[in-house]
Amino acid sequence: MSISVIEQARIQAQVLVPLVKALQAELGPARANALVRKALGDLYRGFGEEFWKARNQGASEADLGKAVASAFKTYARDDALAYDVIEQSHDAFAFDVKRCAYAEFYKALGEPELGFLLVCTADFATAEGFGPDIKLARTQTIMQGASHCDFRYRREGDASQ
């Protein structure tokens, strides 16, 4: 049985939290956080590209709603997320996360800011990996103290223009 994403996040935090704190102490928070965002962004963008290619092999224009719904089932495994779907179509997937075990975990560690850096910022890089015509908008997160996270994935017009 494969390890769930929430369990991976818990394991990774054991190494990443002290590493990021050491980088912040040495380089300052702004420079350290930018370095972490870039490194993880490149990694998660690659994950997004791999997922998108594997999920949409041979499709001339993939069904965004089905693809992103499938991805979030993976992130929600082991009761990690509770969310309500607002819209699901060929060109959109919108949902609100109502409960987030990732946020609960980082808050219990006393490190919600690092949780946002290490978990939440990955969402945008992953979406970039889906292609230039797929955009993610999110205005708030539970990790940052909001009541819910508002994810809005949408396919925009011709990206080649």
Side-chain angles (χ1 to χ4, degrees):
M1 181 174 200
S2 67
I3 188 166
S4 66
V5 179
I6 184 65
E7 196 55 34
Q8 289 175 38
R10 289 179 180 133
I11 293 166
Q12 292 165 349
Q14 294 177 29
V15 173
L16 292 177
V17 168
L19 178 62
V20 172
K21 287 176 126 182
L23 286 170
Q24 289 173 336
E26 186 71 25
L27 303 173
R31 189 163 170 223
N33 292 355
L35 181 64
V36 170
R37 269 192 299 279
K38 176 166 181 1
L40 293 179
D42 292 345
L43 177 71
Y44 285 110
R45 195 171 301 102
F47 288 160
E49 289 170 1
E50 289 175 25
F51 167 80
W52 197 253
K53 286 177 188 167
R55 181 79 168 103
N56 301 298
Q57 268 184 328
S60 59
E61 188 175 283
D63 187 315
L64 175 64
K66 284 183 182 176
V68 179
S70 169
F72 269 84
K73 284 180 184 170
T74 301
Y75 290 106
R77 196 174 118 203
D78 289 351
D79 198 32
L81 300 173
Y83 59 95
D84 295 330
V85 175
I86 308 299
E87 176 187 2
Q88 182 173 348
S89 69
H90 188 269
D91 294 319
F93 189 67
F95 62 98
D96 290 339
V97 173
K98 301 294 189 176
R99 190 190 60 72
C100 176
Y102 302 91
E104 292 163 3
F105 171 73
Y106 274 95
K107 284 180 185 176
L109 287 180
E111 301 291 349
E113 300 84 15
L114 290 184
F116 182 80
L117 176 67
L118 297 171
V119 176
C120 302
T121 58
D123 297 327
F124 286 93
T126 302
E128 288 172 11
F130 294 167
D133 61 333
I134 307 301
K135 301 298 178 200
L136 168 61
R138 188 186 62 215
T139 64
Q140 61 186 29
T141 65
I142 295 170
M143 193 81 76
Q144 293 178 300
S147 62
H148 66 282
C149 307
D150 58 343
F151 286 83
R152 305 296 184 261
Y153 289 86
R154 192 156 306 282
R155 185 187 324 274
E156 295 188 344
D158 186 358
S160 65
Q161 294 179 357

